Amino acid sequence: MADTPSRLNIGSHDLPVSAELSRFMAADWAATPLPDAARVPAYAVTPARRTRLSARFPGERLIVPAGELKVRSNDCDHRFRPHSAYAWLTGLTGEDQVGHVLVLEPSGPHGHEAVLYLRPRSPRADGNEEFYRDRRYGEFWVGRRPDLAEAERLTGLRCAHLDSLGSPVGRNAATDPELAAALSELRLVKDAWEVEQLQLAVDHTAAGFEDVVRALPRALAHPRGERWIEGVFGLRARAEGNGTGYDTIAASGAHACVLHWIRNDGRLDRDELLLLDAGVETDTLYTADITRTVPLSGRFSPVQRQVYELVLAAQEAGMAALRPGASFRDFHRAGMRVIAEGLAEWGVLKHAEGDLHRRYTLCSSGHMLGLDVHDCAKARARTYLDGVLEEGQVLTVEPGLYLQPDDETLPAELRGIGVRIEDDLVITAKGARLMSGALPRTVAGIEEWMGTLMAG
């Protein structure tokens, strides 16, 4: 990485710019306009979204920031991703949205005018040095930004310079719980365009899982096989989309009993299972969220099959409970009934009643999915967790059993086995459509799938 001037110019590695160089840098640049036809992919659907938000808050000024950069270390920032509510309302998803703000200004008795305040492209004349000197915003450092006219064509919004925003007085989505809740609730039901984006994310994710299975022979030979798997999936995610929608969980053996195992520094053992929980995020920022638990040898042992098939039965029961009008929690309850009964049959529990099964399941069995992997999380309980399902909602069904390696309530042969099966579904008029059906879920299907891919 090139040396860069610090934010306060203290101890800067940058050299002073002479007057001669400044004049030289300001002259003789060809025009590089954006294509006139360029528009954000969500151009046709964002106006209706803003109208729905406007109707919730008549007469109030609404402020939805894209967010700011966060420091990773010293003068290096994390890769920027705009806030999901901002992306949903504007269709803008790029790293150049740092600091930008959407404002819905009250207009007339009930409506709003949407104004996007942004940092437009730097001029290259009149002594302006930002385009080649500013490491955070300069075009030569981070890439081309649109000017105001180009931004208006891209978004269909009235655009103004960020410096003209002044004090952002009004309801701010970053600090106002009521506005944040409304923005989550408005996203609970996906429009047709969003479902298409989520299906694209799912399809790319399925391809990434296939890449991982093909790479297993090399991963098994590496002392950090989990990292190898993470890297293989990450390549697919960056090649096909914006990246991963969340940190990949590549958990082998007992690591699969850690719900959010993202250290991914373990060796792979052919006699163990691999739990891979991963999702590709599209360029429009919609993410898939899929988990498969597979035998690293290519074939399940009898005890691995026993655990896997109980989790699969729980997932099937959960999926069968999905339909418009059903309680959101119904699919979790259905899956947990199967788990509890299975644990009782094994003798792990004395009976299936009560909640003692939670020692081995730990968490809920699914969540809404969309721009965030745990989408719409600011929604009020009565509209989401304690609400009912509606056509157009997209969610995961992901029961799991996490049989800890040091759990003395378990027989020795079950300890250290973790299994989760997770799929993405969209609620339809009569039930639900499995979006991730391209990936096998049954024992026989997984073994055949792995055999074919690893042989190739």
Side-chain angles (χ1 to χ4, degrees):
M1 179 179 288
D3 287 338
T4 60
S6 71
R7 294 185 180 92
L8 298 179
N9 231 13
I10 297 171
S12 173
H13 290 257
D14 200 26
L15 297 173
V17 173
S18 67
E20 183 179 17
L21 176 57
S22 182
R23 288 192 298 272
F24 187 58
M25 291 298 295
D28 301 318
W29 297 107
T32 55
L34 294 180
D36 287 343
R39 288 180 172 177
V40 294
Y43 185 94
V45 294
T46 52
R49 298 172 182 176
R50 296 190 293 268
T51 298
R52 291 168 61 202
L53 178 61
S54 172
R56 290 274 191 112
F57 298 94
E60 298 192 65
R61 191 178 197 230
L62 308 178
I63 300 162
V64 184
E68 300 290 346
L69 288 166
K70 289 186 168 71
V71 175
R72 183 186 184 278
S73 65
N74 190 30
D75 59 349
C76 295
D77 297 311
H78 285 284
R79 186 184 297 274
F80 181 75
R81 180 195 187 278
H83 191 281
S84 294
Y86 173 91
W88 188 72
L89 292 167
T90 66
L92 293 163
T93 60
E95 296 178 30
D96 59 347
Q97 297 305 303
V98 177
H100 295 181
V101 181
L102 176 69
V103 178
L104 270 63
E105 300 281 3
S107 174
H110 303 293
H112 288 80
E113 181 192 18
V115 183
L116 180 62
Y117 290 88
L118 53 83
R119 184 180 295 102
R121 186 183 190 189
S122 303
R124 296 190 185 181
D126 303 323
N128 188 297
E129 297 180 348
E130 181 189 88
F131 73 98
Y132 69 97
R133 295 266 287 170
D134 190 318
R135 78 166 188 89
R136 270 192 155 178
Y137 306 118
E139 184 176 333
F140 285 9
W141 290 90
V142 296
R144 170 84 154 81
R145 297 196 306 269
D147 60 30
L148 291 177
E150 290 170 335
E152 290 186 345
R153 288 199 302 273
L154 280 168
T155 63
L157 292 163
R158 181 163 76 84
C159 295
H161 199 293
L162 188 60
D163 292 347
S164 68
L165 175 59
S167 177
V169 177
R171 285 188 182 268
N172 190 311
T175 58
D176 186 287
E178 189 175 354
L179 178 55
L183 285 164
S184 275
E185 290 166 0
L186 288 169
R187 287 167 37 215
L188 278 167
V189 175
K190 273 54 181 180
D191 57 41
W193 182 84
E194 290 180 291
V195 174
E196 289 176 0
Q197 294 302 302
L198 284 162
Q199 186 64 65
L200 182 64
V202 167
D203 294 344
H204 289 321
T205 300
F209 274 66
E210 292 183 354
D211 295 340
V212 165
V213 173
R214 290 190 188 97
L216 282 179
R218 295 192 68 179
L220 282 158
H222 197 278
R224 285 188 172 185
E226 291 177 344
R227 291 268 172 100
W228 193 277
I229 286 166
E230 178 185 0
V232 167
F233 187 84
L235 173 59
R236 173 68 66 170
R238 284 294 284 169
E240 305 291 359
N242 187 53
T244 55
Y246 53 94
D247 288 329
T248 296
I249 298 169
S252 63
H255 290 166
C257 299
V258 180
L259 286 177
H260 290 165
W261 175 262
I262 59 172
R263 198 178 305 167
N264 298 343
D265 60 356
R267 180 185 287 277
L268 306 184
D269 184 330
R270 289 181 58 85
D271 293 331
E272 295 179 330
L273 298 173
L274 168 72
L275 187 157
L276 177 62
D277 185 334
V280 173
E281 180 181 82
T282 63
D283 291 330
T284 56
L285 306 188
Y286 289 84
T287 186
D289 183 7
I290 298 173
T291 305
R292 287 293 182 271
T293 306
V294 300
L296 286 165
S297 67
R299 299 192 68 82
F300 289 89
S301 72
V303 70
Q304 290 168 351
R305 175 191 289 259
Q306 174 187 348
V307 177
Y308 186 91
E309 289 191 331
L310 178 56
V311 176
L312 180 62
Q315 192 195 35
E316 293 284 2
M319 289 180 178
L322 298 177
R323 64 181 63 85
S327 166
F328 172 79
R329 297 186 190 271
D330 280 353
F331 74 90
H332 172 67
R333 296 187 186 106
M336 291 304 98
R337 279 194 297 274
V338 172
I339 291 286
E341 290 168 0
L343 291 172
E345 288 176 9
W346 295 352
V348 172
L349 294 177
K350 292 181 179 179
H351 52 75
E353 290 72 33
D355 64 353
L356 297 187
H357 65 275
R358 293 177 63 183
R359 177 179 177 122
Y360 314 102
T361 60
L362 300 178
C363 66
S364 184
S365 301
H367 51 81
M368 293 296 178
L369 187 65
L371 283 165
D372 295 322
V373 65
H374 299 132
D375 207 32
C376 311
K378 300 291 186 183
R380 293 166 295 178
R382 71 171 185 266
T383 65
Y384 178 2
L385 298 176
D386 297 327
V388 298
L389 297 176
E390 297 182 51
E391 184 177 357
Q393 291 178 336
V394 178
L395 72 163
T396 69
V397 177
E398 50 173 312
L401 271 175
Y402 311 100
L403 308 177
Q404 304 297 331
D406 55 353
D407 189 340
E408 294 184 342
T409 69
L410 296 167
E413 67 271 15
L414 288 177
R415 296 177 195 173
I417 295 177
V419 173
R420 179 164 63 251
I421 311 169
E422 179 180 19
D423 283 274
D424 304 339
L425 300 99
V426 57
I427 303 299
T428 61
K430 296 182 180 180
R433 175 173 65 83
L434 180 61
M435 303 175 75
S436 46
L439 290 173
R441 294 185 298 124
T442 66
V443 165
I446 286 174
E447 290 180 345
E448 181 182 1
W449 176 66
M450 292 184 72
T452 300
L453 292 173
M454 293 173 74

